Amino acid sequence: MAENKDEGSAKSYAFPLRNPGVTLNERNFAAFTHRSAAAHPWHDLEIGPEAPAVFNCVVEISKGGKVKYELDKNSGLIKVDRVLYSSIVYPHNYGFIPRTICEDSDPMDVLVLMQEPVLTGSFLRARAIGLMPMIDQGEKDDKIIAVCADDPEFRHYRDIKELPPHRLAEISRFFEDYKKNENKKVEVEAFLPAQAAIDAIKDSMDLYAAYIKAGLQR
């Protein structure tokens, strides 16, 4: 999710992460420390015992949807960000991985291939099969490509190279075009294999853990 980029000049904290260029921004701590009685899907849902290869995923946008839903990090509710400006729709279910955080201060994004649309706010088990490197308005916004681990038609896939080339072309084209009518530039690079996706998820898990550790030390 690359829409919210207003981190400004807030105080940062350095921790020994796998990506040494990443620092912890003070403004992000609000989402980790401001808690309500209701369960928060980002923090309270476990990522799963088989992570980073197989993990829980919270669905924000259903396959075939045109409404851009996203997590409100403070409340934990799913909010309407906008309706897509173009006539295209999301080609697969889209959401985020709980207990992860990326350099854009959002949880890790994931596109989940499966037979059916899933209701917004539901969670499912997904298997990482690839990584789609993406630059959104000049900033890194990579997407994990996954399959539903409990869908008999898709669960056998282990790597993105096993998917039909046309399906990959559809995914690339969607992300290249979905913001064009907003005059926003998105660049999609070549898909990377499953191991790259697993490594990216592990990095995001480590960064999330660093935020939790820092919050406990404050």
Side-chain angles (χ1 to χ4, degrees):
M1 303 172 195
E3 280 75 27
N4 299 319
K5 307 292 184 184
D6 58 345
E7 296 305 315
S9 58
K11 185 177 179 182
S12 296
Y13 300 83
F15 282 82
L17 304 171
R18 290 179 63 182
N19 185 342
V22 177
T23 56
L24 308 187
N25 189 296
E26 172 134 13
R27 290 185 181 178
N28 292 331
F29 283 110
F32 289 79
T33 58
H34 177 71
R35 305 296 297 279
S36 65
H40 196 300
W42 187 11
H43 306 303
D44 293 330
L45 177 63
E46 294 185 2
I47 192 170
E50 300 176 82
V54 179
F55 50 86
N56 286 327
C57 162
V58 178
V59 175
E60 296 169 297
I61 305 166
S62 297
K63 174 183 178 181
K66 190 176 176 181
V67 178
K68 175 65 169 67
Y69 298 99
E70 65 178 37
L71 174 72
D72 179 74
K73 291 186 285 187
N74 286 329
S75 69
L77 298 175
I78 303 294
K79 68 178 182 180
V80 175
D81 179 63
R82 66 185 185 278
V83 176
L84 296 186
Y85 282 49
S86 59
S87 60
I88 57 179
V89 297
Y90 275 78
H92 300 283
N93 295 302
Y94 180 86
F96 66 89
I97 304 175
R99 300 189 182 183
T100 63
I101 190 170
C102 300
E103 296 171 46
D104 63 357
S105 302
D106 289 330
M108 175 69 78
D109 295 326
V110 57
L111 188 74
V112 183
L113 282 65
M114 58 188 299
Q115 296 181 67
E116 299 294 330
V118 174
L119 290 174
T120 296
S122 304
F123 75 92
L124 54 83
R125 288 196 318 134
R127 180 187 302 280
I129 64 167
L131 178 71
M132 186 182 76
M134 194 173 104
I135 305 296
D136 188 344
Q137 303 168 76
E139 297 195 29
K140 182 179 178 181
D141 192 22
D142 296 348
K143 312 296 183 188
I144 300 297
I145 308 300
V147 294
C148 177
D150 298 298
D151 186 326
E153 184 175 327
F154 285 88
R155 65 187 179 190
H156 66 281
Y157 289 107
R158 292 295 186 272
D159 195 272
I160 200 163
K161 66 185 179 183
E162 300 170 9
L163 294 177
H166 182 71
R167 188 176 295 275
L168 297 180
E170 286 182 331
I171 293 171
S172 294
R173 178 59 66 183
F174 169 78
F175 285 101
E176 288 169 344
D177 290 350
Y178 82 131
K179 289 187 177 180
K180 277 191 174 179
N181 284 351
E182 299 176 65
N183 296 315
K184 295 177 180 178
K185 185 178 180 181
V186 176
E187 299 174 66
V188 175
E189 300 176 4
F191 289 96
L192 299 177
Q195 190 58 53
I198 292 169
D199 290 344
I201 296 169
K202 182 62 168 60
D203 285 343
S204 70
M205 293 168 64
D206 290 344
L207 184 55
Y208 181 91
Y211 270 110
I212 296 297
K213 181 179 178 181
L216 293 174
Q217 293 174 345
R218 296 177 74 197

